[in-house]
Amino acid sequence: MNSSVSTIQKAERETTINFSVEIVKEAINTILEELPFKYSPVGKGKSNDVFNNYQFSISRNMNPAICNVYLEDAETDKTKIKIIVINAYGAVSSNSILESILNDYLNLLAKVLKGDSIEAEKKKATTSGILWVLFIIIFIIIMGVIFLI
């Protein structure tokens, strides 16, 4: 497994896994469908099944990022996968945070490929989304009270 991090705030990993491209594509689509609060396509048409590449946003705490995934047939029933995680537009995160985001995604992808349940991740993502909505509502109320005073 090759892992490199550059000074332009991106994390990159390239590896070959023992699953066919079709199975990996199914796993990626499962993650995008099952965890839309955490992994969501960036704009319309950012996933390309013909060229086997995907682009989606990843939100992790206060660190939004963009993930690009490229798949390529390596051998029979093997896929070369390249993943690049960069800061979302206007966001600033350290390389170590981006590397951690990449590792979290790879661990989730491995779970789906092995057929393990991702119910805990779904619950965590939903709870996290609800907490952020509540935080924003409370912040707006507090700011409104401050400006009224």
Side-chain angles (χ1 to χ4, degrees):
M1 191 179 284
N2 178 17
S3 178
S4 63
V5 179
S6 73
T7 58
I8 61 169
Q9 293 184 320
K10 74 175 181 178
E12 190 171 342
R13 181 99 27 91
E14 188 173 310
T15 189
T16 301
I17 56 176
N18 293 322
F19 294 93
S20 70
V21 168
E22 292 305 316
I23 291 172
V24 176
K25 287 166 62 171
E26 283 180 31
I28 291 170
N29 286 324
T30 297
I31 291 170
L32 293 174
E33 290 169 11
E34 298 288 327
L35 296 162
F37 293 116
K38 187 165 175 110
Y39 306 98
S40 58
V42 179
K44 192 169 178 116
K46 294 295 183 177
S47 294
N48 189 323
D49 285 331
V50 174
F51 293 108
N52 299 326
N53 60 3
Y54 300 85
Q55 183 180 57
F56 48 89
S57 64
I58 297 178
S59 61
R60 182 174 181 224
N61 301 329
M62 296 292 288
N63 301 299
I66 304 295
C67 184
N68 294 292
V69 179
Y70 305 95
L71 306 175
E72 183 181 320
D73 277 320
E75 300 174 24
T76 305
D77 293 330
K78 288 190 177 188
T79 302
K80 181 178 175 182
I81 182 169
K82 181 176 184 176
I83 301 176
I84 302 170
V85 177
I86 59 173
N87 282 314
Y89 312 110
V92 178
S93 299
S94 69
N95 288 340
S96 61
I97 290 173
L98 294 173
E99 187 73 22
S100 179
I101 291 169
L102 187 147
N103 287 333
D104 288 349
Y105 180 74
L106 280 177
N107 290 335
L108 181 62
L109 182 61
K111 268 187 163 181
V112 174
L113 286 168
K114 291 188 301 183
D116 294 347
S117 173
I118 59 170
E119 288 303 314
E121 287 81 3
K122 287 168 60 175
K123 185 175 181 179
K124 184 178 175 183
T126 303
T127 303
S128 176
I130 291 169
L131 290 175
W132 275 110
V133 169
L134 288 174
F135 172 76
I136 291 169
I137 290 171
I138 291 169
F139 179 76
I140 291 170
I141 291 170
I142 290 171
M143 293 306 289
V145 169
I146 289 172
F147 286 118
L148 288 176
I149 296 179

